[in-house]
Amino acid sequence: MPGLTKLWLKDQVGLLPRIPDPRSEEQAGIVVGVARDLSVTTLVAAAKRGIYPLGHVGAPKWCSPKTRAVLFFDDFHISKSARRSMRKGQYRVTFDQAFEEVIVACSEPRPGHWHVNWITPAMKHAYARLFDAGFAHSIEVWDHEGNLKGGGYGVAIGRVFIGESLFSHARDTSKIAVAVLMRHLVEWGYSFVDTKLMNPLMESFGFQEIPRDRFLSMNEKAMNAQGWVGRWEVEIGPEEVATCTRIEKRQRQKRRPPESLVGAYDGVWRSSRHAGPDGPPGSRPGRCRLARPGSQLGACRRARRAVRRSRRLYAAFRLRQGLLSPLQLRTPEMVGAGRADGAVPGAVPARQPDRPEAL
């Protein structure tokens, strides 16, 4: 409280800069200044410095937490329930079609929470101006009747997307909005996503907290890169996004098949489903991490191996019981499992029926 009071007194006499430095020592928790100006130019410049406006009572405050919640696309995870909903085709996703409805829905009271929201009327007008300027974007999830069931909004500057808020009027609709958005950000070459503060929902998506100094250096480099300003359009629907798999780099190396199987399986998959060796048609080589078929092919191979092993074990059991002869075991599976003559090691030969002696 003393630090916040000191910042307030300096703001009253005009000693605080318009856009404060997040590395300055004059801080009160996550608050580094008072946001008196919420114009488009000021908000964009503040985002490049790594600070954002936030305030429930009174004037908005410039905030810069000591740890920042960010998402690197290799760590993104889609829940099973969201995948099932997307496969069913119950919802349609759009970009920048109903920004005002989305921001109003995000500011509505939520069951089980105090009706204290940082999306005040002043913040709504500020982000509406960002939307008109082409920096803010909305994600809408519609049902078949045309009702808005979920979505969210954020700001894209350079190669960074800043997630602001989400809402959901039906199960998994906010997760569907995030999944479709992340897939497009990967395809468009964005560096990472900033959601400011960590919460359980963001943690389930794969967000992680990093120190402020590391975030500021990453943010400055990515935001100064060339970006896109203007309206967005959906290029990949929820049904296709549902087929994406979460494959981290270390998991992908661990599950890599033997070299003898790479050409036999991965080559066939790539030639039939992909335009190039590194991703789906239109993707940038080495960028997409959400649509790799390795885990699905690995599961198929493991299932086939289990079937062959069960057949070998059952045949060995029947051989020991005298229900099969060694000549009946000359199948491709059994020849590979036993000796060259088709016999299973350790198996007891089948008992021959008694024959009468010759007179």
Side-chain angles (χ1 to χ4, degrees):
M1 183 61 68
L4 187 59
T5 304
K6 183 178 179 180
L7 288 176
W8 178 80
L9 291 175
K10 286 189 174 183
D11 176 68
Q12 294 298 314
V13 297
L15 297 179
L16 290 180
R18 184 173 63 92
I19 303 177
D21 184 4
R23 296 184 176 91
S24 64
E25 298 181 356
E26 296 183 357
Q27 299 182 8
I30 67 172
V31 179
V32 296
V34 180
R36 296 292 181 182
D37 181 13
L38 295 178
S39 62
V40 173
T41 304
T42 301
L43 290 176
V44 172
K48 291 183 177 181
R49 281 201 175 187
I51 61 178
Y52 59 91
L54 180 69
H56 301 83
V57 179
K61 318 299 187 299
W62 293 120
C63 298
S64 177
K66 295 182 179 179
T67 58
R68 203 68 167 242
V70 299
L71 173 69
F72 302 104
F73 296 112
D74 284 349
D75 301 328
F76 180 63
H77 173 67
I78 306 175
S79 65
K80 294 181 180 179
S81 60
R83 289 182 187 274
R84 286 194 295 266
S85 300
M86 287 189 288
R87 289 193 188 101
K88 293 178 182 178
Q90 298 177 343
Y91 300 103
R92 178 176 58 91
V93 180
T94 60
F95 291 154
D96 296 341
Q97 297 297 317
F99 184 85
E100 293 183 3
E101 297 180 33
V102 169
I103 196 171
V104 169
C106 291
S107 64
E108 292 178 349
R110 305 188 181 187
H113 295 79
W114 289 93
H115 183 38
V116 178
N117 200 311
W118 67 272
I119 309 178
T120 60
M123 299 295 288
K124 293 178 184 178
H125 294 304
Y127 281 92
R129 290 191 293 268
L130 281 175
F131 176 76
D132 294 335
F135 292 102
H137 302 277
S138 61
I139 308 97
E140 304 91 12
V141 181
W142 311 85
D143 61 9
H144 293 303
E145 299 178 356
N147 300 318
L148 186 61
K149 291 297 183 180
Y153 74 98
V155 178
I157 301 175
R159 296 299 179 92
V160 181
F161 184 83
I162 307 172
E164 298 293 343
S165 184
L166 294 169
F167 79 97
S168 178
H169 291 164
R171 182 179 179 181
D172 294 330
T173 51
S174 61
K175 297 180 180 179
I176 294 174
V178 173
V180 174
L181 172 65
M182 296 304 169
R183 179 61 191 273
H184 283 78
L185 294 179
V186 169
E187 294 292 333
W188 294 338
Y190 277 75
S191 300
F192 62 91
V193 178
D194 171 28
T195 191
K196 304 170 184 176
L197 299 174
M198 182 65 76
N199 58 58
L201 179 60
M202 297 298 107
E203 189 174 5
S204 67
F205 288 135
F207 281 79
Q208 58 179 290
E209 291 183 321
I210 62 174
R212 176 167 53 193
D213 293 337
R214 180 188 173 189
F215 167 79
L216 293 177
S217 61
M218 290 171 40
N219 186 73
E220 181 179 2
K221 181 179 179 180
M223 283 201 172
N224 289 327
Q226 182 180 2
W228 298 270
V229 179
R231 297 290 180 264
W232 287 355
E233 293 183 0
V234 173
E235 300 176 356
I236 306 172
E239 294 82 0
E240 185 176 352
V241 175
T243 62
C244 300
T245 56
R246 177 201 180 198
I247 305 176
E248 298 179 9
K249 183 176 181 180
R250 57 179 180 272
Q251 293 179 345
R252 187 164 60 250
Q253 293 176 349
K254 181 178 179 181
R255 298 178 183 177
R256 186 69 176 171
E259 294 298 330
S260 60
L261 298 178
V262 172
Y265 291 97
D266 291 355
V268 174
W269 180 277
R270 288 170 179 171
S271 62
S272 60
R273 293 291 302 275
H274 291 73
D278 295 309
S283 66
R284 296 172 176 82
R287 302 293 298 182
C288 182
R289 298 292 186 269
L290 304 180
R292 296 295 177 88
S295 62
Q296 299 177 5
L297 294 177
C300 295
R301 286 195 293 269
R302 288 192 294 271
R304 288 194 293 267
R305 291 170 186 168
V307 171
R308 289 195 295 267
R309 183 173 180 272
S310 63
R311 289 177 179 174
R312 290 195 298 267
L313 293 176
Y314 181 65
F317 169 76
R318 296 188 65 189
L319 183 62
R320 292 190 182 94
Q321 297 297 321
L323 301 177
L324 286 177
S325 65
L327 294 179
Q328 293 178 285
L329 297 178
R330 295 189 60 82
T331 61
E333 293 84 358
M334 298 309 301
V335 171
R339 298 194 300 268
D341 57 355
V344 179
V348 179
R351 181 177 60 83
Q352 299 296 332
D354 299 333
R355 299 180 179 179
E357 296 180 358
L359 297 176

